[in-house]
Amino acid sequence: MDHTPTRTPRPHLDDLTRSLRTPLERVAVEHADLVEMIRRRVVAARPAASDTVAVAAFNSSI
Amino acid sequence: MLKVHSRCDLSCDHCYVYQHADQTWRDRPVRMSADTVRATAKRIAEHARVHDLPVVHMVLHGGEPLLLGAAGLREVLVELRTTITPWARLDLRMQTNGVLLDEELCRLLVEYDVRVGVSFDGDRTANDRHRVFAHGGSSHDQVRQALALLRHPDHHPSYAGILCTIDIRNDPDRVYEALLAERPPRVDLLLPHATWDRPPARPDTAGTPYADWLGRIYRRWVDEGRPLSIRLFEALEPGGGGTEAFGLAPADVLVVEADGSWEQVDSLKTAYHGAADTGFDVFGHSVDEARQHPGVAARQDGVDGLCATCRSCPVVDRCGGGLYAHRWRTGSGFDNPSVYCADLLRLIDTMDTYPPVELPTRQPAELADPLATELLDDLATGYGSAHTLDLLAATQLSATRALLAGWRERSGPTAAWELLVDLDEKAPEALRAVLAHPFVRPWLVHRLTPSARSGAGPASDPLPALALAAALRAGAPATLDVPVRSGVITVPTLGSLVLPVDVDGTVEVTVLPGAVRVRGDHVAQTVVLDTGEPEAGGWRATHRVPVPGGQLLLEDGDPYRDCYGQPVAPRLERSAARAVSRTLAEAWRVVERDVPVHAAALAGGLRALVPLAPDQKRPLRSATARDAFGAIALTPVADPETVAVLLVHEWQHVKLGAALDLYDLVDPEPGHRIRVPWRPDPRPPEGVLQGVYAHLAVTRVWQARAAAGRPAHGDAVAYAARFLTWTREGADALLAGRSLTAAGERFVGRMRQALEETAAGPG
């Protein structure tokens, strides 16, 4: 049995840089996986992961 | 690979360019002409554009590329960067013998973000066995001086590593120690080029002396905890990934000779005269034509392209048949195992039976990705090259665009979205400047967070303000409905417009040349922007601080700057803003004085500074928000020396936060805490990682101040010692725990190594 905690999938560097060349209008269609991955990693996962340092305030979070 | 100069100032007897079967160098021009560089750059740019390549890797090679001199090299670099960079990220490298490297050349290499590999064979005896001048004199001292220059913090971003050609007559321990002493980011050990026609020197025809020699170094390297990256060993590990010499990945190297000829990989020169020829050149043939040459195409087939012996070998996925050139035998061509086959087999066996630590059975995703290891290794030095910072900024911009697209999916089509799409096509730089603003992502994240969404009405739609800002920047005429909050329209990156009435809702805004016209239920006015008069017509332009390389926004108006978990200061009075600007500009000069590499990094990425609200109980505070890449918040402090430390500290958090968006360095184990020396309560692992990374940079600031011996910094030695201890103990606590991923262990291990180099000082 794998007890490893579930992670949100991470975006691939190449996908991120490639999407910059896609017209904004087509990003959601041509990079649907990336858009969803970013949403899950940046928006959805952040509040739940209490140990993630979203704010690195001097002498408070580190 | 570009052969920018075809002659060399050394006369190494093991050089495959001059001393082996191929002698085509004799008919080449001495140096690559400007026309050839231009034609090459155009061919590569064309290929990147047609195939939408995200990155092009290019190595400046020779002969000896530094024979171009600083002026000649600059011309080449300008041409390559100017022509190729608009189409793809250009990863520029250079392989040199280092003899001619001086401070001027180092500055040039850093300026153009060129990472340098130096050919160096180890201790004096080993190096001078082959690497000598034509008169027989030693090159050892000159090469060591070059390596010392590259180690200097100002030049370290350009230090890629050392290429060492082995000779089994040398003492492996002394070679290993000599390489380690140069503190390279990476070492590659190269088997001397040989073929079945011209086999390598072996004292005993039945033995495996190359495996034995390398095995000695391997065991010591492992015993000592892998203190540096050795590419040969890492490539031969299970799942180690491909290199030109090992693995089954398709060959992806083309060479442009000094006369513009397209050639196959240049190690083929060891096989026979003309072995690398394709018959194509950059003037008449594209990259696609060159790569369809049968010699290149034959190397795209993986295991199917190997001889029968290799295809049936159980470790073929590790060595991949060895270097292509090493398979050559007159008669059967390249359809043979490597002439080093027995050594490779034995070395792999040594590696598999000498595991002092339990190796992971599966390569973690980050470590199997060369781009990821390169980026993380570079950041782990505590600095980060211009290329790495550009890459982080690009990924952050991409994430913001993805969030924007996600918001559009929720909000449906609007006029603001249509305007953004139009500007993306017609004025991409204007839109890019707006979307790269640090507080766009916090805005989008806030709107996309489920708890915030329920109260979202038209007034909370972020798109109109972004479209308005981009249209103003582009000078594009537009009319759209824009949200007003408490009588204020926020225009990200530019400022805010205070309406004469305190209303909430939306107003119609028309972009005019240098002005905006506003119409609403209680307002109708035209406001000329940037009249030079403060707040004329209610327009509050964002304060701008001149700093090296551009301007920094002193952001006290954007409502989404309030993302630091502590109160931000309200709009500053003009006198207060001028005072903060002066302190900031001076602090920047202090960073440049103390650690110029960090000043360059700030210049490359810091866009905005947010004043925090003063608090008498905690007068000295600074902060970074994970979602606000490119911004730092701090309490207005009058002392530039203090602000300089805070800038360096916080910029570390910005870099590492962006890397953590991409890679998992810490295992998500809720509740796990680690004791740290800088505060009494145990901290979460990611906080410790952030702390160690920041303290590493601050250590270097105080060490520089201690070394300068200024009377004003009488306590610098003590501060340097304190931060050194904090960093060391924090890193050790992370490494001792179970909270790091494999990539995180590698990152912290390398950071720990960088710390010890810092403790030893440059040189």
Side-chain angles (χ1 to χ4, degrees):
Chain A
M1 182 176 172
D2 185 357
H3 291 278
T4 310
T6 307
R7 287 185 185 288
T8 52
R10 68 184 184 87
H12 196 277
L13 205 57
D14 273 350
D15 293 337
L16 283 162
T17 50
R18 197 178 290 276
S19 83
L20 283 174
R21 295 159 188 253
T22 303
L24 186 60
E25 188 175 22
R26 301 210 301 268
V27 168
V29 175
E30 294 186 16
H31 302 276
D33 291 347
L34 180 70
V35 170
E36 176 58 15
M37 211 180 290
I38 295 286
R39 189 196 64 76
R40 290 175 64 185
R41 196 168 173 96
V42 173
V43 181
R46 195 64 56 77
S50 58
D51 290 337
T52 298
V53 179
V55 178
F58 189 55
N59 257 3
S60 64
S61 289
I62 63 173
Chain B
M1 181 180 290
L2 259 64
K3 300 283 188 174
V4 292
H5 202 290
S6 68
R7 302 296 189 266
C8 188
D9 45 351
L10 290 184
S11 184
C12 311
D13 62 5
H14 60 0
C15 180
Y16 62 90
V17 176
Y18 307 111
Q19 307 290 345
H20 287 204
D22 181 276
Q23 290 292 305
T24 52
W25 65 274
R26 294 179 185 278
D27 301 323
R28 309 276 189 211
V30 169
R31 55 183 290 173
M32 187 176 273
S33 70
D35 285 346
T36 307
V37 174
R38 194 172 305 117
T40 303
K42 281 183 179 169
R43 287 294 184 193
I44 292 169
E46 167 191 77
H47 190 72
R49 179 177 56 80
V50 168
H51 294 278
D52 195 21
L53 298 183
V55 61
V56 171
H57 303 280
M58 185 178 283
V59 185
L60 305 183
H61 211 272
E64 171 48 50
L66 292 184
L67 283 172
L68 287 176
L73 182 58
R74 180 181 290 276
E75 286 173 14
V76 171
L77 296 174
V78 167
E79 183 68 47
L80 296 174
R81 285 262 176 240
T82 306
T83 308
I84 299 172
T85 302
W87 301 106
R89 181 171 69 78
L90 180 58
D91 173 27
L92 263 177
R93 309 275 172 149
M94 174 187 285
Q95 188 62 37
T96 173
N97 62 35
V99 168
L100 293 174
L101 195 68
D102 58 16
E103 290 204 10
E104 181 189 7
L105 282 162
C106 281
R107 284 195 295 272
L108 180 65
L109 294 166
V110 171
E111 180 184 350
Y112 283 90
D113 198 14
V114 183
R115 307 194 71 194
V116 180
V118 177
S119 302
F120 178 62
D121 288 350
D123 59 288
R124 183 178 293 277
T125 303
N127 190 72
D128 292 349
R129 191 182 295 281
H130 301 289
R131 296 193 173 280
V132 291
F133 291 93
H135 54 61
S138 166
S139 68
H140 192 251
D141 290 341
Q142 285 98 322
V143 183
R144 289 208 65 207
Q145 284 167 14
L147 293 166
L149 273 174
L150 286 169
R151 275 199 305 276
H152 190 281
D154 290 356
H155 312 140
H156 199 274
S158 279
Y159 191 11
I162 290 176
L163 177 64
C164 168
T165 303
I166 72 165
D167 187 314
I168 54 175
R169 290 172 292 177
N170 297 331
D171 179 336
D173 285 300
R174 293 188 63 183
V175 168
Y176 175 74
E177 288 158 10
L179 296 174
L180 204 60
E182 302 300 337
R183 306 202 292 272
R186 169 176 269 189
V187 162
D188 201 3
L189 299 170
L190 191 68
L191 289 163
H193 287 322
T195 66
W196 289 100
D197 289 356
R198 191 173 174 272
R202 294 177 194 277
D204 174 359
T205 52
T208 53
Y210 290 88
D212 301 340
W213 196 94
L214 287 166
R216 167 71 194 158
I217 291 187
Y218 177 78
R219 284 189 288 272
R220 187 161 169 195
W221 178 64
V222 171
D223 287 346
E224 293 178 5
R226 302 180 180 222
L228 78 170
S229 168
I230 299 186
R231 195 177 182 212
L232 181 146
F233 298 144
E234 290 166 351
L236 283 176
E237 284 178 335
T243 67
E244 177 62 21
F246 305 112
L248 292 168
D252 58 357
V253 179
L254 278 172
V255 177
V256 181
E257 272 293 350
D259 61 358
S261 304
W262 285 116
E263 291 215 335
Q264 302 170 63
V265 60
D266 65 343
S267 56
L268 286 175
K269 292 177 188 296
T270 199
Y272 58 93
H273 182 71
D277 287 356
T278 65
F280 299 134
D281 62 63
V282 294
F283 303 104
H285 305 94
S286 68
V287 177
D288 277 331
E289 287 173 293
R291 77 188 181 97
Q292 283 162 15
H293 181 276
V296 181
R299 303 193 53 208
Q300 310 300 310
D301 297 337
V303 72
D304 293 339
L306 300 179
C307 69
T309 306
C310 289
R311 289 201 303 271
S312 61
C313 178
V315 297
V316 66
D317 58 326
R318 308 277 288 278
C319 75
L323 190 74
Y324 192 62
H326 295 176
R327 303 174 205 164
W328 173 258
R329 187 199 296 266
T330 302
S332 51
F334 294 100
D335 193 25
N336 308 294
S338 165
V339 71
Y340 286 106
C341 178
D343 289 280
L344 293 174
L345 202 56
R346 176 65 183 269
L347 179 59
I348 289 168
D349 183 60
T350 299
M351 293 171 63
D352 288 351
T353 55
Y354 194 73
V357 292
E358 194 174 326
L359 293 174
T361 53
R362 191 180 53 180
Q363 188 81 341
E366 281 87 350
L367 296 185
D369 177 356
L371 275 178
T373 51
E374 190 176 315
L375 185 142
L376 290 172
D377 286 356
D378 187 32
L379 287 175
T381 62
Y383 300 113
S385 66
H387 159 63
T388 293
L389 289 172
D390 285 350
L391 201 53
L392 289 178
T395 60
Q396 290 289 309
L397 179 62
S398 178
T400 299
R401 280 166 51 98
L403 291 170
L404 193 63
W407 174 254
R408 155 66 182 82
E409 293 291 288
R410 294 191 182 284
S411 63
T414 60
W417 173 257
E418 295 304 323
L419 179 55
L420 286 168
V421 166
D422 188 50
L423 292 170
D424 184 47
E425 182 189 348
K426 294 175 180 162
E429 285 308 313
L431 182 60
R432 174 184 282 259
V434 174
L435 296 187
H437 184 52
F439 308 106
V440 174
R441 173 165 150 180
W443 194 342
L444 290 164
V445 168
H446 177 72
R447 296 312 331 159
L448 285 164
T449 300
S451 57
R453 226 178 285 144
S454 56
S460 61
D461 182 0
L463 301 196
L466 300 178
L468 174 60
L472 276 166
R473 282 181 161 272
T479 298
L480 69 168
D481 290 337
V482 179
V484 184
R485 290 204 327 190
S486 304
V488 178
I489 299 172
T490 300
V491 189
T493 72
L494 295 175
S496 48
L497 181 61
V498 183
L499 300 179
V501 287
D502 185 356
V503 293
D504 287 310
T506 60
V507 292
E508 181 193 88
V509 179
T510 299
V511 176
L512 306 169
V516 290
R517 185 172 63 229
V518 182
R519 285 183 180 161
D521 289 342
H522 307 287
V523 61
Q525 65 175 133
T526 297
V527 179
V528 178
L529 308 180
D530 298 331
T531 58
E533 293 297 316
E535 306 199 10
W539 174 244
R540 293 174 172 176
T542 305
H543 308 293
R544 290 169 191 275
V545 183
V547 291
Q551 291 182 322
L552 194 62
L553 300 182
L554 183 58
E555 185 58 86
D556 60 358
D558 190 318
Y560 285 90
R561 74 189 187 286
D562 187 4
C563 57
Y564 295 97
Q566 48 189 311
V568 294
R571 169 87 177 172
L572 299 181
E573 296 295 328
R574 285 191 85 198
S575 58
R578 276 201 296 267
V580 173
S581 297
R582 277 196 300 273
T583 305
L584 197 57
E586 183 57 32
W588 200 289
R589 282 190 284 277
V590 170
V591 177
E592 201 157 50
R593 178 200 70 195
D594 289 342
V595 192
V597 181
H598 281 308
L602 287 171
L606 184 60
R607 293 169 177 274
L609 185 124
V610 175
L612 291 172
D615 180 349
Q616 287 186 339
K617 291 178 185 167
R618 297 173 63 214
L620 186 63
R621 285 171 295 128
S622 62
T624 314
R626 178 79 166 266
D627 282 330
F629 179 82
I632 289 173
L634 50 80
T635 44
V637 184
D639 176 21
E641 300 281 339
T642 302
V643 173
V645 176
L646 297 178
L647 288 177
V648 169
H649 176 111
E650 294 301 338
W651 190 245
Q652 294 295 96
H653 293 322
V654 171
K655 287 187 291 183
L656 186 55
L660 287 166
D661 272 355
L662 297 170
Y663 305 115
D664 298 309
L665 303 183
V666 176
D667 269 326
E669 190 179 344
H672 184 58
R673 294 289 182 271
I674 295 173
R675 291 207 169 276
V676 292
W678 56 83
R679 53 186 286 165
D681 52 331
R683 309 303 304 152
E686 192 176 312
V688 180
L689 181 64
Q690 285 278 13
V692 169
Y693 196 57
H695 294 328
L696 171 62
V698 173
T699 301
R700 286 171 172 153
V701 173
W702 285 111
Q703 283 179 330
R705 291 178 178 182
R710 290 183 199 87
H713 292 140
D715 47 6
V717 172
Y719 276 121
R722 178 198 292 175
F723 279 96
L724 183 70
T725 301
W726 283 3
T727 313
R728 184 181 280 148
E729 291 183 8
D732 288 347
L734 281 168
L735 290 169
R738 294 176 175 274
S739 51
L740 297 173
T741 63
E745 278 190 20
R746 180 182 170 111
F747 184 82
V748 176
R750 284 172 174 271
M751 204 167 27
R752 186 72 171 75
Q753 182 189 341
L755 179 71
E756 293 314 314
E757 291 171 9
T758 298

